[in-house]
Amino acid sequence: MSMDMTTRMFKEEGWVRKKCPKCGKYFWTLDPDRETCGDPPCDEYAFIGKPGIPKKYTLEEMREAFLGFFERNGHGRVKRYPVLPRWRDDVLLVGASIMDFQPWVISGEADPPANPLTISQPSIRFTDIDNVGITGRHFTIFEMMAHHAFNYPKKPIYWMDETVEYAYEFFTKDLRMKGEDITFKENPWAGGGNAGPAFEVLYRGLEVATLVFMQYKLAPPNADPSQIVEIKGDKYVPMETRVVDTGYGLERLVWMSQGTPTAYDAVLGYVVEPLKRMAGVDRIDERILMENSRLAGMFDIEDMGDLKVLRREVANKVGISVEELEKAVRPYELIYAIADHTKALTFMLADGVIPSNVKAGYLARLLIRKSIRNMRELGINAPLSEIVAMHIKALHKTYPEFREMEDVILDIVDVEEKRYQETLRRGSNLVKREVAKLKKSGKDEIPLENLILYYESHGLTPEIVKEVAEKEGIRVHIPDNFYTLVAKEAERTVKEEEKKSIVDFELLQDLPDTRTLYYEDPMMKEFDAKVLKILGEWVVLDQTAFYPEGGGQPCDLGTLDGIKILDVQKVGKVILHKVERMEFREGQRVHGKIDWERRIQHMRHHTGTHVLMGALVRVLGSHVWQSGSQLHTDWARLDIAHYKRIGEEELREIERLANRVVMENREVRWEWLPRTEAEQRYGFRLYQGGVVPGKVIRVLNIKDWDVQACGGTHLPNTGLIGPIKILRTERIQDGVERIIFAAGEAAIKWMQESESIIKRTSGVFRVPPEKLPDTAQKFFDEWKNARKVVEKLKRELAKLLVYELESKVEKIKGIEFIGGIVEGDIEHLREAALKLKKPNRVIAIISEDSGAVVVAVGDNVDHKAGDLVRIITSVAGGGGGGKKDLAQGKIKNILKAKEALEEVKKKL
């Protein structure tokens, strides 16, 4: 892409455009003597130990300086968005400020919360997780300070000139950075399907900002060739909306102002210092960390080879051996990684991520387990929640939601740590079994794919696997980018299969949107309409009260002019009705009748779902999020994200709260709102039921209880739901609880059935219902005691059986043979056979009660127990099998048992 990037400031204030002799990229500078672009490896860091900003800033001070500057310059200040992007389903975590406004704002389907705007957005990326703690600059969590302008067609805000001037003014006037040391490096940007020219803003070797001018999107196959531009090997066409997309590194600017050995020391000291004390880490010569950061900035560490080069360079620079260097820096690298990972974890848990084995939950678990592993290596025995609590204490003034969620956040971490310890106990045995298999197959190293499998399926870190495997004599090579590999696997988004349309979409193009009477009046039972089109077995009407399947709610059924409706579906904005037989014609007036008993029960369950959701959040915590739902006439299910099983007391309180809201007969309102207005008014809890498309969304509001974007049919007040009864809960997957419940008549039916069961049970025990628990306990205790007596008698019987059979030894060609038809079950037979077993003996016992067969063969006998069982079953019917020394089975015809034993004797 070739584009003139000469801005007004460059022209008017004497900036010079040069080509860097090292990287070949063009850059702009005020210094006529500057040769290189200022970007490592062309230039190295020149601020460590010599801060490039006169004043030392904290995170809070730098954030406020930035936001305040842009606010003074006409930008609306916008609050941070959650790091878990509820408004979109194509990414797992927010990795940049522009992601807050994709896809709806950029596409023009929603207005921006302000235009232009400024924001400081916590962002999480796992692409460099293996470098965190090592390079001095990499983080999994960082704040991207930004200002954005959305230039819609015929509504320009500002573009390149103003963006460059804002950056220079903020850096030189507000932060008092030296203008002659700032360079603007031209480097086109592409990502997420968009692209555009961009400047990297560099100061004393550090990239402090990126200014992107997003104006292209990926070219469709039928794009006009004259519109196509090529950027980084891909073809793009112009976007309708041109976006100023900037990113200023908050942590980097704070680091620049403090000049500390690493960025971690500048922004995470409140955790780093306590961790040093807890680990008893020796004080390190700061020159080592300074040189490590300075040299690490010169290249990207991709593998162990790069790390070895870095270690060697640093060791040479400070005059110590590589071994001495590694011993000195390793504890610091672990501490820095723990500090970073636990901060990222705090944001993720506060914003509703529940640790699990899928999606963002998997990434949260990765951080937890990697941090625990690092603490273990450092010899720190404190719970991980203690470290997370340090972040909450330090950050809660800026992020009050941390304090509000503190109990839940710390409980989640404690629960996960206990699970991890249990995983390690089980995992050690798993690795030993796998090692035995590898040895058997002649292998001496665990493959990488196995390491990833152990981590993903069993939570075993590669370090734990290595520890166990190497004790067993099996080698383990852990790639330096192991955690990056597993994070990439988790972040890989799966494209949903396109839903196959029930009819050719082209046939619906000329039809108007179907008028949705079920929204205008959800209590409408009958309606009149006009047939617009016939498509095979489907009928399209101009308006309908039949609700089409969607959002977990089944479609309505009923009749159209007396003919049964079998299915109702929505394609685009046209609703189709599948009829039992086609007796309609286009233009005909028809009368529709809803199956009201079915519809009203769906409405009770749907509105009941929202009531229940409000109760769940109040009892379990605001981390609870809807993961799915499905309505039926007899019951409904609600799946929620939650980190542990719901207790009985909690369930009772949830049910009590839900029914209280029903009895209060609260108003249920629905309204259509512009997306941005709805988000600003109600927040992102709107998207409990999933991402809702469209510029205008339908919002359901149960007064002072629950608000969601929802397209289902609902009752006008909660009193019409009737009683809500939770039937049971299930753990359907890691981090997801399923609540099965019934509402209205379905709940009453369930209560009546339960009452009937209790009455019948009372009849069996011949006691009143209130005495059932004590009576059942009494019978259970008596049964337990009786079982103990029975077990004792069985053991005595087994002894007698051994005594009886010992007297039946026969000699057959040098082999001792004991055969018998006895009383007892298979356990007694097996126990007796094992006690009677000797090297030169064969035992064959058949139970006259059950037909069970057990055969035991001594080590010196040249016959297999399984073969002898098969001889018995070939005579008396049945089947069985087992090992060489012990086998069992069952015969069908006990009358042939004696004959079968004779056949065994013949075989011997």
Short mmCIF file of all heavy atoms in Angstrom, two decimals, residues 547-555 598 601-602 604-606 608-609 612 626-640 689 732 738-742:
data_model
loop_
_atom_site.label_atom_id
_atom_site.label_comp_id
_atom_site.label_asym_id
_atom_site.label_seq_id
_atom_site.Cartn_x
_atom_site.Cartn_y
_atom_site.Cartn_z
N TYR A 547 -46.02 -17.60 17.20
CA TYR A 547 -44.62 -17.30 17.52
C TYR A 547 -43.71 -18.32 16.83
O TYR A 547 -43.89 -19.53 16.96
CB TYR A 547 -44.40 -17.36 19.04
CG TYR A 547 -42.97 -17.06 19.45
CD1 TYR A 547 -42.52 -15.76 19.54
CD2 TYR A 547 -42.07 -18.09 19.73
CE1 TYR A 547 -41.21 -15.47 19.89
CE2 TYR A 547 -40.76 -17.82 20.08
CZ TYR A 547 -40.34 -16.51 20.16
OH TYR A 547 -39.03 -16.23 20.51
N PRO A 548 -42.68 -17.86 16.06
CA PRO A 548 -41.76 -18.79 15.41
C PRO A 548 -40.70 -19.27 16.40
O PRO A 548 -40.34 -18.55 17.33
CB PRO A 548 -41.13 -17.93 14.31
CG PRO A 548 -41.18 -16.53 14.85
CD PRO A 548 -42.39 -16.44 15.74
N GLU A 549 -40.20 -20.45 16.20
CA GLU A 549 -39.18 -21.01 17.09
C GLU A 549 -37.97 -20.09 17.19
O GLU A 549 -37.48 -19.57 16.19
CB GLU A 549 -38.74 -22.38 16.57
CG GLU A 549 -37.69 -23.06 17.44
CD GLU A 549 -37.15 -24.32 16.81
OE1 GLU A 549 -37.46 -24.60 15.64
OE2 GLU A 549 -36.40 -25.03 17.50
N GLY A 550 -37.47 -19.88 18.40
CA GLY A 550 -36.29 -19.05 18.57
C GLY A 550 -36.02 -18.72 20.02
O GLY A 550 -36.93 -18.66 20.84
N GLY A 551 -34.71 -18.53 20.35
CA GLY A 551 -34.34 -18.12 21.70
C GLY A 551 -34.68 -19.13 22.76
O GLY A 551 -34.92 -18.77 23.92
N GLY A 552 -34.71 -20.42 22.42
CA GLY A 552 -35.03 -21.45 23.40
C GLY A 552 -36.52 -21.67 23.58
O GLY A 552 -36.94 -22.55 24.34
N GLN A 553 -37.35 -20.87 22.88
CA GLN A 553 -38.80 -21.03 22.99
C GLN A 553 -39.33 -21.77 21.76
O GLN A 553 -39.10 -21.33 20.63
CB GLN A 553 -39.49 -19.67 23.13
CG GLN A 553 -41.01 -19.77 23.27
CD GLN A 553 -41.67 -18.44 23.60
OE1 GLN A 553 -41.08 -17.59 24.25
NE2 GLN A 553 -42.89 -18.26 23.15
N PRO A 554 -40.05 -22.88 21.95
CA PRO A 554 -40.60 -23.61 20.80
C PRO A 554 -41.65 -22.76 20.08
O PRO A 554 -42.20 -21.82 20.64
CB PRO A 554 -41.25 -24.84 21.44
CG PRO A 554 -40.67 -24.94 22.81
CD PRO A 554 -40.35 -23.55 23.23
N CYS A 555 -41.91 -23.11 18.83
CA CYS A 555 -42.91 -22.37 18.07
C CYS A 555 -44.32 -22.66 18.58
O CYS A 555 -44.56 -23.67 19.25
CB CYS A 555 -42.81 -22.72 16.58
SG CYS A 555 -43.31 -24.42 16.22
N ARG A 598 -50.78 -24.53 25.22
CA ARG A 598 -49.35 -24.67 24.95
C ARG A 598 -48.64 -23.33 25.06
O ARG A 598 -47.62 -23.20 25.73
CB ARG A 598 -49.17 -25.27 23.55
CG ARG A 598 -47.74 -25.38 23.04
CD ARG A 598 -47.77 -25.86 21.59
NE ARG A 598 -46.51 -25.67 20.92
CZ ARG A 598 -45.53 -26.57 20.90
NH1 ARG A 598 -45.66 -27.70 21.55
NH2 ARG A 598 -44.41 -26.33 20.25
N GLN A 601 -48.35 -21.83 28.63
CA GLN A 601 -47.37 -22.53 29.46
C GLN A 601 -45.94 -22.15 29.06
O GLN A 601 -45.06 -22.01 29.91
CB GLN A 601 -47.58 -24.05 29.35
CG GLN A 601 -46.93 -24.85 30.47
CD GLN A 601 -47.30 -24.40 31.88
OE1 GLN A 601 -48.44 -24.07 32.16
NE2 GLN A 601 -46.31 -24.34 32.75
N HIS A 602 -45.72 -21.95 27.75
CA HIS A 602 -44.42 -21.45 27.30
C HIS A 602 -44.15 -20.06 27.87
O HIS A 602 -43.02 -19.75 28.28
CB HIS A 602 -44.35 -21.38 25.77
CG HIS A 602 -44.25 -22.73 25.13
ND1 HIS A 602 -44.56 -22.94 23.80
CD2 HIS A 602 -43.89 -23.94 25.62
CE1 HIS A 602 -44.37 -24.22 23.50
NE2 HIS A 602 -43.97 -24.85 24.60
N ARG A 604 -45.42 -18.77 30.66
CA ARG A 604 -45.14 -18.91 32.10
C ARG A 604 -43.68 -19.32 32.32
O ARG A 604 -42.99 -18.77 33.18
CB ARG A 604 -46.07 -19.96 32.71
CG ARG A 604 -47.51 -19.51 32.88
CD ARG A 604 -48.36 -20.64 33.46
NE ARG A 604 -49.78 -20.27 33.52
CZ ARG A 604 -50.78 -21.03 33.12
NH1 ARG A 604 -50.53 -22.23 32.59
NH2 ARG A 604 -52.02 -20.62 33.23
N HIS A 605 -43.24 -20.30 31.54
CA HIS A 605 -41.87 -20.77 31.71
C HIS A 605 -40.85 -19.73 31.26
O HIS A 605 -39.78 -19.61 31.87
CB HIS A 605 -41.66 -22.09 30.96
CG HIS A 605 -42.15 -23.27 31.72
ND1 HIS A 605 -42.80 -24.34 31.12
CD2 HIS A 605 -42.11 -23.57 33.05
CE1 HIS A 605 -43.11 -25.23 32.05
NE2 HIS A 605 -42.71 -24.79 33.23
N HIS A 606 -41.17 -18.96 30.21
CA HIS A 606 -40.20 -17.97 29.73
C HIS A 606 -40.07 -16.81 30.71
O HIS A 606 -38.97 -16.43 31.10
CB HIS A 606 -40.58 -17.46 28.33
CG HIS A 606 -39.41 -16.98 27.55
ND1 HIS A 606 -39.34 -16.97 26.18
CD2 HIS A 606 -38.21 -16.48 27.96
CE1 HIS A 606 -38.18 -16.49 25.79
NE2 HIS A 606 -37.47 -16.18 26.86
N GLY A 608 -40.92 -16.99 33.77
CA GLY A 608 -40.38 -17.63 34.96
C GLY A 608 -38.87 -17.77 34.91
O GLY A 608 -38.18 -17.65 35.94
N THR A 609 -38.32 -18.00 33.73
CA THR A 609 -36.87 -18.08 33.56
C THR A 609 -36.21 -16.78 33.98
O THR A 609 -35.19 -16.77 34.67
CB THR A 609 -36.51 -18.41 32.08
OG1 THR A 609 -37.08 -19.67 31.73
CG2 THR A 609 -35.02 -18.46 31.86
N LEU A 612 -36.42 -16.39 37.77
CA LEU A 612 -35.47 -17.29 38.40
C LEU A 612 -34.04 -16.76 38.25
O LEU A 612 -33.23 -16.84 39.19
CB LEU A 612 -35.59 -18.68 37.75
CG LEU A 612 -35.06 -19.88 38.54
CD1 LEU A 612 -35.70 -19.98 39.92
CD2 LEU A 612 -35.31 -21.16 37.76
N GLN A 626 -26.35 -16.52 32.34
CA GLN A 626 -27.11 -17.55 31.62
C GLN A 626 -26.28 -18.15 30.51
O GLN A 626 -25.70 -17.45 29.69
CB GLN A 626 -28.39 -16.93 31.05
CG GLN A 626 -29.32 -17.94 30.39
CD GLN A 626 -30.63 -17.30 29.95
OE1 GLN A 626 -31.19 -16.48 30.66
NE2 GLN A 626 -31.11 -17.68 28.79
N SER A 627 -26.21 -19.49 30.49
CA SER A 627 -25.46 -20.19 29.44
C SER A 627 -26.37 -20.84 28.41
O SER A 627 -25.91 -21.34 27.41
CB SER A 627 -24.57 -21.28 30.07
OG SER A 627 -23.62 -20.70 30.91
N GLY A 628 -27.67 -20.83 28.68
CA GLY A 628 -28.62 -21.44 27.74
C GLY A 628 -29.93 -21.71 28.45
O GLY A 628 -30.01 -21.71 29.68
N SER A 629 -30.97 -21.92 27.66
CA SER A 629 -32.28 -22.27 28.23
C SER A 629 -33.11 -22.98 27.17
O SER A 629 -32.85 -22.84 25.98
CB SER A 629 -33.02 -21.02 28.73
OG SER A 629 -33.38 -20.19 27.64
N GLN A 630 -34.08 -23.76 27.64
CA GLN A 630 -35.01 -24.43 26.73
C GLN A 630 -36.34 -24.57 27.44
O GLN A 630 -36.39 -24.97 28.61
CB GLN A 630 -34.47 -25.80 26.32
CG GLN A 630 -35.31 -26.50 25.27
CD GLN A 630 -35.36 -25.75 23.94
OE1 GLN A 630 -34.33 -25.40 23.40
NE2 GLN A 630 -36.54 -25.50 23.44
N LEU A 631 -37.42 -24.20 26.73
CA LEU A 631 -38.75 -24.25 27.33
C LEU A 631 -39.54 -25.44 26.79
O LEU A 631 -39.42 -25.80 25.62
CB LEU A 631 -39.52 -22.96 27.00
CG LEU A 631 -38.79 -21.64 27.24
CD1 LEU A 631 -39.66 -20.48 26.80
CD2 LEU A 631 -38.39 -21.49 28.69
N HIS A 632 -40.34 -26.04 27.65
CA HIS A 632 -41.28 -27.09 27.27
C HIS A 632 -42.60 -26.78 28.00
O HIS A 632 -42.65 -25.88 28.84
CB HIS A 632 -40.77 -28.47 27.68
CG HIS A 632 -39.46 -28.82 27.05
ND1 HIS A 632 -39.35 -29.41 25.82
CD2 HIS A 632 -38.18 -28.65 27.49
CE1 HIS A 632 -38.07 -29.60 25.52
NE2 HIS A 632 -37.34 -29.13 26.52
N THR A 633 -43.63 -27.52 27.70
CA THR A 633 -44.90 -27.26 28.39
C THR A 633 -44.87 -27.79 29.82
O THR A 633 -45.39 -27.17 30.74
CB THR A 633 -46.08 -27.88 27.63
OG1 THR A 633 -45.77 -29.25 27.35
CG2 THR A 633 -46.34 -27.14 26.34
N ASP A 634 -44.20 -28.94 30.05
CA ASP A 634 -44.20 -29.57 31.37
C ASP A 634 -43.06 -29.10 32.26
O ASP A 634 -43.14 -29.22 33.48
CB ASP A 634 -44.13 -31.10 31.25
CG ASP A 634 -45.36 -31.67 30.56
OD1 ASP A 634 -46.44 -31.05 30.68
OD2 ASP A 634 -45.26 -32.71 29.89
N TRP A 635 -42.00 -28.62 31.68
CA TRP A 635 -40.84 -28.17 32.46
C TRP A 635 -39.97 -27.27 31.59
O TRP A 635 -40.17 -27.15 30.38
CB TRP A 635 -40.03 -29.38 32.96
CG TRP A 635 -39.57 -30.30 31.87
CD1 TRP A 635 -40.27 -31.33 31.32
CD2 TRP A 635 -38.32 -30.26 31.16
NE1 TRP A 635 -39.55 -31.94 30.33
CE2 TRP A 635 -38.33 -31.31 30.22
CE3 TRP A 635 -37.18 -29.46 31.25
CZ2 TRP A 635 -37.27 -31.56 29.36
CZ3 TRP A 635 -36.12 -29.71 30.40
CH2 TRP A 635 -36.16 -30.75 29.48
N ALA A 636 -39.00 -26.63 32.23
CA ALA A 636 -38.05 -25.79 31.51
C ALA A 636 -36.68 -25.98 32.14
O ALA A 636 -36.56 -26.43 33.28
CB ALA A 636 -38.47 -24.32 31.58
N ARG A 637 -35.65 -25.67 31.39
CA ARG A 637 -34.30 -25.74 31.97
C ARG A 637 -33.60 -24.41 31.78
O ARG A 637 -33.80 -23.70 30.79
CB ARG A 637 -33.48 -26.86 31.35
CG ARG A 637 -33.13 -26.66 29.89
CD ARG A 637 -32.05 -27.64 29.47
NE ARG A 637 -31.80 -27.64 28.04
CZ ARG A 637 -31.07 -26.75 27.39
NH1 ARG A 637 -30.51 -25.75 28.05
NH2 ARG A 637 -30.89 -26.84 26.08
N LEU A 638 -32.77 -24.08 32.75
CA LEU A 638 -31.96 -22.86 32.71
C LEU A 638 -30.53 -23.25 33.07
O LEU A 638 -30.28 -23.79 34.14
CB LEU A 638 -32.51 -21.83 33.72
CG LEU A 638 -31.70 -20.56 33.94
CD1 LEU A 638 -31.56 -19.76 32.65
CD2 LEU A 638 -32.36 -19.69 35.01
N ASP A 639 -29.60 -23.02 32.15
CA ASP A 639 -28.19 -23.33 32.39
C ASP A 639 -27.46 -22.05 32.79
O ASP A 639 -27.62 -21.02 32.12
CB ASP A 639 -27.53 -23.92 31.13
CG ASP A 639 -28.19 -25.22 30.70
OD1 ASP A 639 -28.85 -25.85 31.54
OD2 ASP A 639 -28.06 -25.58 29.51
N ILE A 640 -26.68 -22.12 33.85
CA ILE A 640 -25.96 -20.93 34.32
C ILE A 640 -24.48 -21.23 34.52
O ILE A 640 -24.10 -22.36 34.82
CB ILE A 640 -26.55 -20.39 35.64
CG1 ILE A 640 -26.46 -21.45 36.75
CG2 ILE A 640 -27.97 -19.91 35.47
CD1 ILE A 640 -26.60 -20.91 38.16
N GLY A 689 -29.13 -13.78 27.52
CA GLY A 689 -29.60 -14.84 26.63
C GLY A 689 -28.77 -15.00 25.37
O GLY A 689 -29.12 -15.77 24.48
N ILE A 732 -23.81 -30.06 34.23
CA ILE A 732 -23.79 -30.60 32.86
C ILE A 732 -22.41 -30.53 32.22
O ILE A 732 -22.11 -31.28 31.30
CB ILE A 732 -24.84 -29.91 31.96
CG1 ILE A 732 -24.59 -28.40 31.84
CG2 ILE A 732 -26.23 -30.19 32.46
CD1 ILE A 732 -25.34 -27.76 30.71
N ARG A 738 -27.14 -26.80 35.65
CA ARG A 738 -28.45 -26.81 34.99
C ARG A 738 -29.54 -26.86 36.05
O ARG A 738 -29.50 -27.71 36.94
CB ARG A 738 -28.58 -27.99 34.03
CG ARG A 738 -29.98 -28.19 33.47
CD ARG A 738 -29.97 -29.15 32.28
NE ARG A 738 -29.32 -28.53 31.14
CZ ARG A 738 -29.02 -29.16 30.00
NH1 ARG A 738 -29.31 -30.45 29.87
NH2 ARG A 738 -28.43 -28.53 29.00
N ILE A 739 -30.51 -25.94 35.96
CA ILE A 739 -31.64 -25.94 36.87
C ILE A 739 -32.87 -26.35 36.08
O ILE A 739 -33.23 -25.72 35.09
CB ILE A 739 -31.88 -24.54 37.50
CG1 ILE A 739 -30.68 -24.15 38.36
CG2 ILE A 739 -33.14 -24.52 38.35
CD1 ILE A 739 -29.88 -23.04 37.83
N ILE A 740 -33.49 -27.45 36.49
CA ILE A 740 -34.74 -27.91 35.88
C ILE A 740 -35.87 -27.42 36.79
O ILE A 740 -35.86 -27.67 37.99
CB ILE A 740 -34.81 -29.46 35.79
CG1 ILE A 740 -33.51 -30.02 35.18
CG2 ILE A 740 -36.04 -29.91 35.02
CD1 ILE A 740 -33.30 -29.76 33.74
N PHE A 741 -36.85 -26.71 36.20
CA PHE A 741 -37.93 -26.18 37.02
C PHE A 741 -39.26 -26.25 36.28
O PHE A 741 -39.30 -26.49 35.07
CB PHE A 741 -37.64 -24.73 37.46
CG PHE A 741 -37.77 -23.71 36.35
CD1 PHE A 741 -38.94 -22.96 36.21
CD2 PHE A 741 -36.74 -23.50 35.44
CE1 PHE A 741 -39.07 -22.02 35.20
CE2 PHE A 741 -36.86 -22.57 34.43
CZ PHE A 741 -38.04 -21.81 34.31
N ALA A 742 -40.33 -26.06 37.02
CA ALA A 742 -41.67 -26.02 36.43
C ALA A 742 -42.38 -24.79 36.98
O ALA A 742 -42.13 -24.37 38.11
CB ALA A 742 -42.44 -27.28 36.75
#
